[in-house]
Amino acid sequence: MTDMPFAVEMFFDEKADKLVREIWEDLAQAKVNSFMIDGDYRPHVTLGVLEGYTSPGFENEFRSFCERPAFPIKFDCLGVFPRPEGVIFLGAVVTEQLFSVHREFQTQFSKLMSGVRPYYLPGNWVPHCTLAYGLFVDAIPAAVEVCSRFTFPVTAQIKAISLVEVPKHRDVLTCELEGDSRGNG
């Protein structure tokens, strides 16, 4: 059993990755928030955050879980988690496919992971891509203003899934998904 937190993150195609990084850069240039850039994050949607996992069982199951085609995701809104974290995010449209991937992850790995953070459990999960983190309440309007300059919806392909050590954001195991759901694979 490992003893440090990990996240399972889904990464985007190059075009969507670049767009999210542009938003991060605009937030930093506007002196609103540079948390995502400073932390050397990669644009993503998190399937789960866990305190530990059983190795190598988890890693073998992870590789099996990733044997799937790339799939689309659409971000249709800006959202705010006003809790102490102060987060502005792109909210994903919860399609049956996205919901199914999350449900499958939680079911398949439930016995192989420990200390799953409650935000990511079924019934609590809000699929999103973080744009700013650690905002004070009075900075939220400025962050929304910067993020609103971009055109919605934002469409992307989920192209890879990674087990990431946090807070270092070191990829432990990354699996590229097969092809492209649009047949461009």
Side-chain angles (χ1 to χ4, degrees), residues 13-169:
D13 61 274
E14 189 176 318
K15 182 179 176 186
D17 182 276
K18 183 178 184 230
L19 176 68
V20 172
R21 290 177 190 277
E22 286 174 14
I23 297 171
W24 292 350
E25 191 60 43
D26 281 9
L27 286 163
Q29 287 178 1
K31 299 193 183 336
V32 174
N33 187 272
S34 62
F35 184 88
M36 301 306 286
I37 293 171
D38 296 344
D40 199 27
Y41 286 86
R42 184 173 171 187
H44 65 276
V45 171
T46 302
L47 284 174
V49 177
L50 47 139
E51 293 302 320
Y53 66 90
T54 304
S55 181
F58 184 96
E59 293 166 9
N60 292 335
E61 283 292 319
F62 186 81
R63 285 183 185 88
S64 174
F65 175 76
C66 292
E67 290 176 359
R68 66 180 67 242
F71 61 93
I73 189 168
K74 181 169 83 169
F75 300 98
D76 214 8
C77 65
L78 286 174
V80 177
F81 293 135
R83 297 185 275 273
E85 293 91 354
V87 176
I88 298 289
F89 61 87
L90 290 173
V93 174
V94 183
T95 61
E96 179 54 39
Q97 184 173 30
L98 182 60
F99 183 70
S100 177
V101 169
H102 181 259
R103 182 179 53 235
E104 184 183 333
F105 170 75
Q106 293 293 329
T107 302
Q108 187 171 344
F109 293 96
S110 64
K111 291 181 172 66
L112 299 173
M113 53 187 184
S114 63
V116 177
R117 304 262 170 93
Y119 294 157
Y120 300 98
L121 291 173
N124 292 340
W125 184 57
V126 176
H128 67 280
C129 176
T130 300
L131 300 175
Y133 181 93
L135 292 170
F136 292 109
V137 173
D138 60 348
I140 290 173
V144 169
E145 181 182 333
V146 170
C147 297
S148 295
R149 297 177 194 155
F150 290 83
T151 303
F152 289 86
V154 173
T155 57
Q157 288 283 309
I158 300 295
K159 302 291 274 185
I161 304 176
S162 186
L163 176 65
V164 179
E165 181 184 345
V166 291
K168 295 177 183 176
H169 300 284

